[in-house]
Amino acid sequence: SGDIYQIPVVVHLLYTNSTNNISVAQIQSQIDVLNEDFRRTNADATNKWSQAADTKIEFYLAQIDPNGNPTTGITRKAVSKSTWQTDDSMKKSSQGGVNPWNTAEYLNMWIVDNLISGTRTILGYAQFPWDTDASTDGVVMADQYFGTIGTAQAPFDGGRTTTHEVGHYFGLRHIWGDGGCGVDDFVSDTPESDAPNYGCATGHISCGSEDMVQNYMDYSDDSCMNLFTLGQKNRMHTYLETGGARRSL
Ligand code: ARG
Ligand code: CA
Ligand code: ZN
C-alpha cells in the first residue's frame, strides 16, 4: 500500500569456504527479520513501551539488476581474505571486494567472514545517510551475525545486527547518543541513557530513568531487543524523504 516504503536489497557475499558461502535460506531469513522488526510483526514484540512503532518500511531481495536483467538479489565472490577492517575495502573490487549496485536505487549489504575495527571483533557497521560518498553507501555484517539459521551464532542469531545497522543507514544513532547523560540521539521518545547496555539489562536505570534496553539501537543481545520507537520511525522517514543520494529508494 502507498504509504509503505519498499526497499530493494542486494546482498554481496564474500566467502572463503563452503561454510560461509551461506545459503539463500539464511539470507532470506535475514530479510524476513528485517520485515518483522521494521513492521513490528516480530513475535517477541511486547507492550512494555507504548512508543513502540511500526516503521512502515519493508525490504525485498532485488529482482531486477542494474542492467535490467532478472536477478536473485545476491552476488557471490570467492575471496581469500577472511578478516576485513571497517575501511570499506569489501565495497571496492579494486581492493578485493565488490562494487555496489547503484546506491540510489538499492540498499547494498556486504557479508564477510570476519569483521574487525582495529583489533576488536565487531558484528557489523553502516554508513549514515549524511555521509556523501555514494560508492560506499550500505551496511556490512559478518555472516555469523546475519540471518537466523546456517552460520548464525548465539547470542546474535536473531538477525538484529542487520536491523541495527539498517537503523543507522536510515539515520538512527545509538540510543545513548554515544555519550553520557545529556548527549542526545536526536529522538525525543527514547529515554536518556549514559552508555550501551549489553546482554539483557532489563530495568537498568541511568540518567534518572529506565533505559530502553529493548531498543534495536542499544547493544543488548538479539533476544532482548524488540522495538523501534515512533520518534525513530519519524527520523528514518525524514532521511528516506530528504536523504540525498537515497531519494529514489
Ligand atoms: N556493534 C554494532 C554496531 O554498533 C552492532 C550491535 C548489534 N547488536 C546486536 N544485538 N545484534 O553497529
Ligand atoms: Ca564468518
Ligand atoms: Zn551501532
Side-chain angles (χ1 to χ4, degrees), residues 13-249:
L13 180 60
L14 302 174
Y15 65 95
T16 62
N17 60 44
S18 58
T19 303
N20 61 40
N21 187 13
I22 62 172
S23 66
V24 174
Q26 183 173 348
I27 294 168
Q28 187 60 50
S29 75
Q30 181 62 66
I31 302 294
D32 294 345
V33 169
L34 285 172
N35 284 315
E36 291 160 10
D37 289 353
F38 278 79
R39 293 303 316 276
R40 204 169 179 251
T41 59
N42 50 307
D44 56 0
T46 72
N47 296 321
K48 158 101 183 147
W49 299 96
S50 61
Q51 61 270 58
D54 168 3
T55 73
K56 308 227 186 239
I57 304 171
E58 296 181 356
F59 303 85
Y60 62 97
L61 286 170
Q63 291 164 355
I64 308 285
D65 76 11
N67 298 319
N69 296 316
T71 177
T72 58
I74 301 169
T75 75
R76 294 175 188 267
K77 181 180 183 180
V79 296
S80 51
K81 185 155 130 185
S82 61
T83 299
W84 298 74
Q85 287 283 351
T86 56
D87 58 4
D88 295 333
S89 51
M90 71 289 289
K91 305 174 181 177
K92 298 169 183 169
S93 55
S94 62
Q95 294 180 27
V98 176
N99 291 338
W101 290 6
N102 185 348
T103 53
E105 293 179 3
Y106 301 91
L107 163 50
N108 284 261
M109 299 188 178
W110 289 265
I111 309 302
V112 297
D113 185 6
N114 296 290
L115 200 53
I116 55 172
S117 176
T119 55
R120 195 171 54 91
T121 295
I122 63 162
L123 311 181
Y125 77 102
Q127 182 163 312
F128 284 117
W130 48 86
D131 294 337
T132 52
D133 186 351
S135 74
T136 54
D137 197 26
V139 297
V140 183
M141 283 70 58
D143 66 283
Q144 56 270 41
Y145 316 116
F146 190 74
T148 61
I149 58 173
T151 62
Q153 279 174 21
F156 302 112
D157 56 349
R160 263 79 195 246
T161 298
T162 305
T163 298
H164 175 111
E165 301 309 337
V166 173
H168 285 314
Y169 168 86
F170 286 133
L172 299 186
R173 296 178 178 276
H174 294 136
I175 55 165
W176 69 99
D178 295 307
C181 301
V183 180
D184 205 0
D185 65 352
F186 308 108
V187 173
S188 58
D189 63 2
T190 51
E192 250 189 279
S193 172
D194 65 348
N197 287 287
Y198 296 94
C200 195
T202 311
H204 184 254
I205 309 269
S206 76
C207 313
S209 61
E210 185 175 342
D211 290 350
M212 191 183 275
V213 302
Q214 299 85 358
N215 196 281
Y216 298 125
M217 301 315 290
D218 205 338
Y219 270 1
S220 304
D221 286 348
D222 282 13
S223 61
C224 190
M225 301 174 147
N226 59 62
L227 78 145
F228 287 119
T229 68
L230 188 59
Q232 288 176 318
K233 170 200 170 177
N234 291 338
R235 185 171 166 88
M236 290 193 277
H237 280 219
T238 298
Y239 282 105
L240 268 162
E241 280 149 28
T242 62
R246 309 252 184 79
R247 255 187 310 263
S248 53
L249 271 176

